[in-house]
Amino acid sequence: MDFSLKLKTDYSIVLILAALIFSFLISYFYYRKSKLEGAPKKLFILLRFFSVFFILLLLFSPVISLVKNLINEPVNVFLIDNSESLTLENRQETLKEILKDKVTDAQPGSSQNLYYLFSNGLFKEINPDQKEIESIPFTGINNFETNLTSAFYSLQEKLAGKNLSSVTIVSDGIINEGGSPAIIARALNVPVNFILTGDTVQRNDLVLRNVFYNKTSFIESNVPVNLEINSFGYDRNIKINLYEEDKLIDSKELAVSKNTGVYDFSFNIQSNEERTVKYKVELEGLEDEITLRNNYSEFFIKFIDNKFKVLVIAGGPGADLAFISEEIRKVKNFETTFLTQKSATEFYEGTLPDLGKFDSYIFIGFPTAVTNQSIINEIKDRLDRNNSSLIFFAGRNTDYNKLSVLDERLPFKPANISGNEEETGISAVSNINDDIFRNKNLISSVNSFPDIFKSISNIVVNASSETILLTTKNSDPAFVIQNTDKNKSAAFLAYGLYKWRLNPRQNNSGEVLNYLITSAVVATTNKEEKKVFTIETTKPVYSKYEKVKFEARITNFQLQGGEQIKVKIKGNSFSGETELKKSDNKYYEGEINVPENGNYEYTAELYSKNILAESISDRFAVGENNNEFKMTRADNTILNSLSNDTRGKNLNGLSADEIRDELKLINGKSGGEYQSSQNFEMNINPYYLGIVIFLLCLEWFFRKRNNLP
């Protein structure tokens, strides 16, 4: 470090020289004829000179700058993965060997090395000594996910102002949370290197990758539970078990092959009473699997007795009506009234019932040219008054002009109506809404169904509608849903669904249609909105080392201010309670540590002005979180992409000396030299003004001592 002094002023140096000369002349002529001689005379001239010059200098607003040249030493950061996946294949021991033999010895001169553990974010900083390396925790902590993005953001905040030179990641590369870390990695503006721990060769393994199910289902209904299974290295039959409350209720076999890695499988479950049920799906383990900790998944389904009163009105008899009505009758939670148009005001089943009692209306090829317009008007009045839902199925003879009365209650608007039709296939969109249709695989079955028909008309889908299915002909919307405060509706804009039943390749068309109808009715009718508030845990099963998190929303309640949501938890080995904190206008969240394994029931209570508004009960479990074992092969894909994007390097296979040389090369380009300056404005600086006053007082003192006037 070195430093220098600089004098700055807004005025020319010529003026400063003129001030010097003027100060000297004033001082000299003032004392030229005095009785003083020799040294005393020179001293008085010098004191007067400095006093006058310093006073004149104040007029130039001078600034003295103390400039320091500093070198900010480079900082090399090592991010060390201590997530639970490192316990596979003894990877944690490999990681420790890498740290001891390569990383801690790679100490480039004139730089600082920092070592941080990370899993679901930046965990803590460690010292690179053998004792701390040996004591790195891989179990007994909340390390059930690997979130490199969060670790990068924390690192950026923690090292703000430091000369970050490089980041080196020591990990098995299994990044399963936080999305892509590429953006924040580039924002760090330093090379990102990596050392991979673990084998990239896939070992023999069975993995229950995903379980798709509806959290809430109706009693007395068949509820599909769909599985995504990975099989690596096996040619055989595997056994899949389904447990209800830890009791085996179903068992099936699946033939797997070494040539196929992904399989879809399903169970059907049901309950005849209102309750929350714990289920477990398990792949029976094989002796040579790399781990058995990814062979199962536990979850809860809440069965509710929530009958929907549904009115089905058809434009006339037909094959589509037979197919659709057959599937609707299978839904035991629908109290359905069927009406088939016979004439303008008559129906085969009898007279028109009271339209005000229905939660949802389903049109099948209705209305037609012969339909009495007053019926449509009355339905519109009931839809508006009760905010009921409307599900529309197009038909060959649908009269869209009469249907236009319901434009504000439909998810589309017809234009340029044509009587012509064309054949088309149906396909599922790639990003189906998980909140409405959790069973994406079942919906995607339509991709292989036979072609059906569509009207050659211009259909304009509302901006707030969501498209679920498309026609293969021109990719027009085939099935759309709109769920807003004033429009709760769905529409299937093709017809000829009876042809799906003739599919020779796949015979689950009834299940698909049933799922489309029930999901659309539930999504748009949403009788749960009559509840004052909703609450759920963020996942069904937690580890005792992580906190149980609750999310709640006030839905159908006039806020009074000061609302509270209190949660009481009860289990065999632990009881506790917590109060949720308000996170937004009607949203609340909270968490609590439940330190003992077991099944738990919680009761959430909403209070407004200390009065209980509503109470909700549900369940969760504390056990093993196996999220880190959904992938068992070390993977350098993300790490390699980061190093390429940031001009970092793959340090695998390099010795400690070679890693040190690489870091030295990076440090040499880090540009850590900078200047620091401190300014002193002399016209307001009390020290400078004190010097001027001191000089004037000193001159006055000496003048009195020498009897000068």
Side-chain angles (χ1 to χ4, degrees):
M1 179 185 73
D2 56 2
F3 63 90
S4 59
L5 289 173
K6 295 181 180 179
L7 179 65
K8 298 179 182 179
T9 178
D10 294 333
Y11 295 89
S12 167
I13 188 67
V14 175
L15 290 177
I16 296 177
L17 291 174
L20 279 169
I21 295 171
F22 179 76
S23 301
F24 175 76
L25 292 175
I26 287 291
S27 304
Y28 174 75
F29 284 107
Y30 188 83
Y31 286 104
R32 183 170 63 89
K33 295 183 179 181
S34 69
K35 63 180 181 179
L36 297 172
E37 297 292 341
K41 185 175 183 178
K42 293 178 181 178
L43 176 62
F44 275 93
I45 293 174
L46 191 63
L47 287 173
R48 177 56 62 93
F49 165 75
F50 280 116
S51 299
V52 175
F53 178 70
F54 284 167
I55 292 172
L56 291 175
L57 197 60
L58 290 175
L59 302 177
F60 299 115
S61 301
V63 177
I64 294 179
S65 296
L66 177 62
V67 181
K68 298 179 182 179
N69 295 317
L70 303 174
I71 297 178
N72 194 0
E73 65 179 10
V75 176
N76 301 299
V77 170
F78 291 86
L79 288 179
I80 303 162
D81 187 354
N82 72 321
S83 60
E84 200 179 24
S85 64
L86 269 292
T87 60
L88 283 169
E89 297 183 295
N90 214 23
R91 290 174 190 168
Q92 75 270 34
E93 296 303 322
T94 303
L95 180 141
K96 291 176 183 179
E97 291 299 321
I98 290 173
L99 294 181
K100 288 186 287 187
D101 297 342
K102 295 183 179 182
V103 172
T104 57
D105 288 340
Q107 295 273 3
S110 66
S111 68
Q112 182 183 12
N113 283 7
L114 299 178
Y115 304 85
Y116 292 96
L117 302 179
F118 81 97
S119 53
N120 59 348
L122 216 56
F123 184 60
K124 70 174 183 178
E125 184 179 358
I126 65 170
N127 293 320
D129 56 57
Q130 184 166 347
K131 182 179 179 181
E132 282 231 33
I133 291 175
E134 286 296 336
S135 62
I136 292 176
F138 294 93
T139 58
I141 59 173
N142 181 7
N143 62 341
F144 307 109
E145 60 187 36
T146 307
N147 190 335
L148 187 56
T149 301
S150 175
F152 277 154
Y153 276 110
S154 297
L155 194 66
Q156 184 184 50
E157 182 179 349
K158 188 176 289 287
L159 300 183
K162 288 186 175 291
N163 180 23
L164 184 61
S165 180
S166 70
V167 175
T168 300
I169 302 167
V170 186
S171 171
D172 60 6
I174 300 176
I175 313 299
N176 48 32
E177 289 292 335
S180 172
I183 295 176
I184 179 60
R186 287 192 289 268
L188 292 175
N189 198 30
V190 297
V192 177
N193 312 307
F194 73 91
I195 302 174
L196 192 70
T197 61
D199 198 338
T200 57
V201 176
Q202 178 65 60
R203 305 297 186 189
N204 290 356
D205 199 21
L206 297 176
V207 183
L208 182 55
R209 186 81 177 193
N210 287 303
V211 179
F212 302 101
Y213 62 95
N214 286 331
K215 294 180 181 179
T216 303
S217 298
F218 299 132
I219 64 173
E220 301 178 341
S221 295
N222 284 327
V223 180
V225 175
N226 293 277
L227 317 178
E228 181 185 345
I229 298 169
N230 292 150
S231 173
F232 303 108
Y234 294 110
D235 274 310
R236 57 173 297 168
N237 287 347
I238 63 172
K239 197 171 184 181
I240 308 171
N241 298 322
L242 175 65
Y243 296 85
E244 180 182 300
E245 301 294 353
D246 300 323
K247 179 182 178 182
L248 181 66
I249 61 171
D250 201 357
S251 185
K252 297 180 180 181
E253 287 193 349
L254 172 69
V256 297
S257 167
K258 291 182 179 179
N259 299 323
T260 305
V262 182
Y263 299 85
D264 296 324
F265 200 79
S266 65
F267 286 100
N268 283 309
I269 57 178
Q270 66 174 359
S271 175
N272 295 322
E273 58 181 295
E274 280 192 292
R275 57 180 182 149
T276 299
V277 185
K278 180 184 178 183
Y279 292 96
K280 177 181 177 180
V281 179
E282 177 189 59
L283 312 179
E284 282 200 2
L286 303 176
E287 291 182 358
D288 59 343
E289 285 190 67
I290 184 175
T291 181
L292 300 179
R293 297 174 70 180
N294 52 17
N295 286 42
Y296 68 91
S297 182
E298 296 178 319
F299 55 94
F300 293 87
I301 294 180
K302 188 172 187 177
F303 291 94
I304 57 175
D305 185 3
N306 197 6
K307 300 281 187 183
F308 287 88
K309 296 184 184 302
V310 179
L311 175 63
V312 177
I313 309 181
D320 271 9
L321 173 61
F323 184 25
I324 296 171
S325 60
E326 179 183 334
E327 293 305 320
I328 291 176
R329 285 188 173 94
K330 291 179 182 178
V331 185
K332 295 181 180 180
N333 290 87
F334 286 3
E335 291 183 2
T336 310
T337 301
F338 290 90
L339 294 176
T340 307
Q341 185 176 275
K342 181 179 181 181
S343 65
T345 58
E346 292 182 301
F347 298 91
Y348 287 104
E349 293 82 1
T351 59
L352 194 69
D354 177 11
L355 296 178
K357 67 179 183 179
F358 296 103
D359 300 309
S360 184
Y361 299 81
I362 298 179
F363 288 1
I364 304 175
F366 181 85
T368 64
V370 300
T371 303
N372 190 316
Q373 188 67 50
S374 64
I375 296 176
I376 308 297
N377 294 336
E378 187 176 352
I379 291 175
K380 179 183 184 301
D381 178 64
R382 292 300 180 177
L383 285 169
D384 293 340
R385 189 180 304 178
N386 301 334
N387 200 18
S388 302
S389 63
L390 174 60
I391 314 297
F392 171 80
F393 283 88
R396 178 71 177 83
N397 298 317
T398 300
D399 188 333
Y400 286 96
N401 290 323
K402 289 185 176 180
L403 188 66
S404 63
V405 173
L406 300 173
D407 275 356
E408 294 182 357
R409 306 295 307 190
L410 288 167
F412 70 94
K413 290 179 175 58
N416 301 325
I417 301 303
S418 169
N420 299 323
E421 65 180 13
E422 60 184 355
E423 283 194 280
T424 180
I426 303 295
S427 63
V429 299
S430 58
N431 55 340
I432 297 175
N433 189 329
D434 289 341
D435 294 333
I436 301 176
F437 299 102
R438 293 181 178 274
N439 194 341
K440 296 181 181 180
N441 294 330
L442 184 62
I443 296 293
S444 297
S445 299
V446 302
N447 298 345
S448 61
F449 286 179
D451 288 355
I452 54 178
F453 304 102
K454 65 181 285 287
S455 173
I456 305 177
S457 303
N458 184 17
I459 299 295
V460 180
V461 174
N462 296 347
S464 55
S465 296
E466 183 171 4
T467 299
I468 308 300
L469 301 177
L470 297 169
T471 64
T472 56
K473 189 84 170 180
N474 302 324
S475 295
D476 293 326
F479 184 53
V480 294
I481 289 181
Q482 183 171 1
N483 189 6
T484 63
D485 291 339
K486 296 183 179 180
N487 190 328
K488 301 178 182 299
S489 59
F492 200 101
L493 300 171
Y495 52 91
L497 300 179
Y498 68 90
K499 295 181 66 178
W500 284 2
R501 306 179 81 171
L502 308 178
N503 184 10
R505 293 175 294 171
Q506 200 164 352
N507 59 3
N508 67 336
S509 59
E511 184 182 3
V512 173
L513 181 59
N514 188 300
Y515 187 56
L516 287 173
I517 294 171
T518 55
S519 298
V521 170
V522 171
T524 55
T525 307
N526 198 4
K527 295 185 75 173
E528 288 294 302
E529 284 192 353
K530 295 180 180 179
K531 289 183 174 292
V532 170
F533 77 111
T534 62
I535 185 170
E536 61 181 13
T537 56
T538 55
K539 55 186 177 182
V541 181
Y542 295 85
S543 164
K544 64 182 179 180
Y545 302 110
E546 56 185 330
K547 291 185 177 181
V548 178
K549 297 181 179 180
F550 297 91
E551 294 178 344
R553 180 170 69 95
I554 297 176
T555 54
N556 190 26
F557 184 76
Q558 185 65 41
L559 298 179
Q560 305 294 319
E563 282 73 21
Q564 298 173 292
I565 297 179
K566 298 179 180 180
V567 181
K568 297 178 181 178
I569 300 165
K570 185 178 181 181
N572 291 333
S573 53
F574 174 83
S575 296
E577 61 180 278
T578 184
E579 182 175 331
L580 306 191
K581 295 180 180 179
K582 192 173 184 179
S583 60
D584 205 346
N585 184 30
K586 293 186 177 182
Y587 291 85
Y588 290 74
E589 59 185 23
E591 57 187 26
I592 186 172
N593 184 45
V594 180
E596 298 293 336
N597 291 342
N599 298 320
Y600 292 87
E601 182 174 336
Y602 68 88
T603 301
E605 298 174 329
L606 172 65
Y607 289 88
S608 181
K609 294 187 175 179
N610 295 320
I611 299 174
L612 179 64
E614 190 173 65
S615 175
I616 297 176
S617 295
D618 213 333
R619 297 175 66 190
F620 66 90
V622 175
E624 183 178 34
N625 185 333
N626 62 0
N627 181 55
E628 277 285 300
F629 304 106
K630 297 297 185 180
M631 183 174 180
T632 55
R633 177 180 65 86
D635 186 6
N636 63 2
T637 304
I638 294 177
L639 300 181
N640 196 56
S641 176
L642 289 178
S643 67
N644 289 335
D645 285 350
T646 60
R647 298 185 180 181
K649 288 196 174 183
N650 178 353
L651 303 181
N652 280 299
L654 299 187
S655 65
D657 290 339
E658 290 171 324
I659 294 175
R660 184 188 305 113
D661 291 340
E662 290 291 343
L663 295 181
K664 280 184 179 180
L665 188 62
I666 294 172
N667 291 343
K669 300 176 182 178
S670 63
E673 185 173 349
Y674 67 99
Q675 287 187 336
S676 174
S677 63
Q678 188 173 4
N679 296 327
F680 299 93
E681 296 184 27
M682 296 171 64
N683 56 345
I684 61 173
N685 190 284
Y687 299 106
Y688 181 81
L689 297 176
I691 292 173
V692 173
I693 294 171
F694 173 75
L695 290 173
L696 292 173
C697 291
L698 187 63
E699 183 184 0
W700 175 83
F701 174 76
F702 283 133
R703 287 176 67 85
K704 291 300 181 183
R705 291 293 299 269
N706 288 275
N707 296 318
L708 293 177

